[in-house]
Amino acid sequence: MASGIAVSGLTKRFGRTTVVDGLDLEVGEGDFLVLLGPSGCGKTTTLRCLAGLETPDGGTIQLRDTTVFDGRRGWNVPIHKRDIGMVFQSYALWPHMTVRKNIAYPLKVRGRREAIADGWVENAADMVHCGDLLDRYPAQLSGGQQQRIALARGLVARPGLVLLDEPLSNLDAKLRDQVRTEIRELHQELGFTAVLVTHDQDEALALGDRIAIMRDGRIEQCDTPERVYVEPASDYVAAFIGMSNRIEWERVDGGWSSPAGARVGPDDLGALTGQRAVSRVRPDDLRVHPRQPDDLEGAVALDADLVTAEYGGRHVDVTVRAKETRLHVRVGTGDAGTWIRSLKPGEPLAVSAPLASLRTYEGDR
Ligand SMILES: Nc1ncnc2c1ncn2[C@@H]1O[C@H](COP(=O)(O)OP(=O)(O)O)[C@@H](O)[C@H]1O
Ligand SMILES: [Mg+2]
């Protein structure tokens, strides 16, 4: 792999708190990597270390085979010498500058006057469909336009590496989808290496060539979207990638028994060695039934009570309670959807899931 980015043992502390904890990461030249994780796990700090906006406490960072940070050697290349474009969550446009001057800013600080004269600013504005806004001020723009200008500013110097920190999270849902597609198109067209930070799984799946799921300052899994979606490496990753249902298990009498009320055979959850396990399953993979089917081959079934059934157009989002375990089921708005919407809260039903749809992990963390 030609190395766009190679990070090794990256560590950053604020006071006594270790925010980035020996993080390793590789991004191929021209690849689009998404850093996905909950608020506070260290995504922004990692990105700021790559950009040179934070000084790490240890580790190394190589950008395109140039070492830009080495904790032991005391190397730290400043941001304007790193060939990086940055797009911030808050847009961070200068309010007293026109759009033209905002976009031109990275060229100006790099002393690239010839690029400004050659029309790179207009070109970047056109790329984000804002060519007619160059003489306005940020206060005269909508949120979507401001974010596009921030994008143009990140791309104007034609950097080899573009870092984007939650660039879509301040936009409303429709705009978010539009700008998301535009980012993907720009990446395909211009071929830069990208690292985008988000806490949104759909965004991560849509944009990433690879997704790195972050937990407490480290990468828990780094894989293609397909691999992350189908084979999440841990309970934590599974939960983060939409397997919102959690079923706990304990080994009992040579089989597995769940406090949610299910029982399966000793080999039904795969090869496990411990006494406890946790399964994850997507709402789409659960089925609802009036009562437990008799002919359930290769599936797990549970008795439950209805909590709510929310109509969602093409599906109904159903919440049920199996003893103390809450489960979410997504049902199509066909017969099953019509039937479930006829039930009252508290009425009994059964749910099932094919064993093949469960992802099961050792322990009960
Ligand atoms: N400049 C700072 N000084 C002290 N603590 C900070 C600073 N920046 C971030 N933190 C803390 O570091 C942790 C990780 O922050 P951040 O990297 O912004 O996470 P994320 O982007 O994943 O939400 C948080 O607990 C945050 O409060
Ligand atoms: Mg952040």
Side-chain angles (χ1 to χ4, degrees):
M1 176 166 65
S3 198
I5 305 174
V7 175
S8 173
L10 185 70
T11 301
K12 176 67 188 171
R13 286 183 282 272
F14 290 116
R16 287 189 189 173
T17 315
T18 301
V19 172
V20 181
D21 191 9
L23 178 138
D24 298 324
L25 185 65
E26 282 201 31
V27 188
E29 178 80 20
D31 272 4
F32 201 120
L33 179 97
V34 175
L35 261 186
L36 174 67
S39 179
C41 73
K43 305 182 295 298
T44 294
T45 305
T46 302
L47 214 60
R48 289 173 59 84
C49 289
L50 292 180
L53 292 165
E54 300 284 356
T55 305
D57 291 296
T60 59
I61 302 173
Q62 282 185 2
L63 303 180
R64 307 183 114 184
D65 300 323
T66 304
T67 301
V68 295
F69 178 81
D70 187 325
R72 276 192 305 166
R73 294 198 170 106
W75 283 347
N76 198 10
V77 175
I79 177 163
H80 61 276
K81 293 195 176 151
R82 288 193 185 191
D83 186 29
I84 279 177
M86 181 105 192
V87 182
F88 299 93
Q89 176 173 12
S90 56
Y91 316 144
L93 300 176
W94 303 102
H96 60 287
M97 287 186 195
T98 60
V99 164
R100 183 187 301 281
K101 286 197 165 157
N102 265 287
I103 297 178
Y105 189 79
L107 294 174
K108 217 175 143 200
V109 296
R110 288 173 168 88
R112 305 281 307 277
R113 293 193 183 279
E114 83 300 343
I116 297 176
D118 278 352
W120 285 27
V121 174
E122 289 78 5
N123 181 269
D126 285 341
M127 281 193 305
V128 297
H129 314 295
C130 292
D132 51 345
L133 302 177
L134 284 164
D135 296 317
R136 293 210 199 164
Y137 286 88
Q140 298 169 312
L141 304 176
S142 70
Q145 289 168 332
Q146 290 187 45
Q147 191 51 289
R148 287 197 171 91
I149 301 305
L151 205 54
R153 185 181 54 186
L155 298 173
V156 70
R158 307 183 186 176
L161 172 59
V162 179
L163 306 177
L164 308 105
D165 192 357
E166 312 229 14
L168 306 175
S169 60
N170 286 334
L171 305 177
D172 61 49
K174 186 159 164 266
L175 254 179
R176 201 179 306 149
D177 287 353
Q178 256 175 35
V179 179
R180 183 171 94 184
T181 306
E182 283 171 24
I183 289 176
R184 187 79 197 156
E185 279 178 22
L186 286 167
H187 175 253
Q188 280 163 10
E189 211 175 289
L190 303 175
F192 50 82
T193 305
V195 180
L196 177 141
V197 159
T198 182
H199 61 271
D200 182 287
Q201 56 143 327
D202 292 329
E203 210 170 294
L205 292 170
L207 284 172
D209 294 316
R210 289 195 311 148
I211 301 177
I213 292 103
M214 219 174 146
R215 175 185 197 169
D216 299 338
R218 294 174 190 230
I219 307 291
E220 179 115 343
Q221 181 175 10
C222 185
D223 239 322
T224 61
E226 291 83 358
R227 291 278 304 167
V228 167
Y229 189 82
V230 177
E231 295 296 343
S234 66
D235 180 35
Y236 175 89
V237 174
F240 217 84
I241 211 79
M243 295 192 154
S244 51
N245 292 305
R246 186 174 202 269
I247 301 173
E248 296 178 7
W249 300 100
E250 203 176 341
R251 221 187 263 276
V252 174
D253 301 336
W256 291 96
S257 173
S258 168
R263 258 200 85 83
V264 294
D267 304 322
D268 284 350
L269 300 178
L272 298 162
T273 53
Q275 294 302 305
R276 288 172 176 277
V278 171
S279 294
R280 286 277 173 183
V281 60
R282 289 178 196 286
D284 320 63
D285 288 325
L286 287 171
R287 303 271 172 278
V288 287
H289 319 266
R291 68 195 66 78
Q292 288 200 21
D294 303 326
D295 54 347
L296 262 188
E297 273 294 298
V300 52
L302 301 137
D303 289 323
D305 297 331
L306 180 68
V307 178
T308 59
E310 294 171 18
Y311 182 67
R314 303 185 77 165
H315 55 258
V316 180
D317 278 317
V318 184
T319 305
V320 304
R321 191 165 31 218
K323 302 220 162 86
E324 294 306 308
T325 302
R326 273 183 175 245
L327 298 169
H328 296 278
V329 189
R330 181 162 274 198
V331 181
T333 33
D335 292 345
T338 307
W339 165 69
I340 198 118
R341 297 241 303 146
S342 73
L343 299 183
K344 292 193 181 54
E347 284 199 61
L349 48 85
V351 295
S352 70
L355 286 168
S357 71
L358 303 184
R359 292 292 170 275
T360 303
Y361 307 95
E362 298 270 7
D364 57 358
R365 266 205 319 153

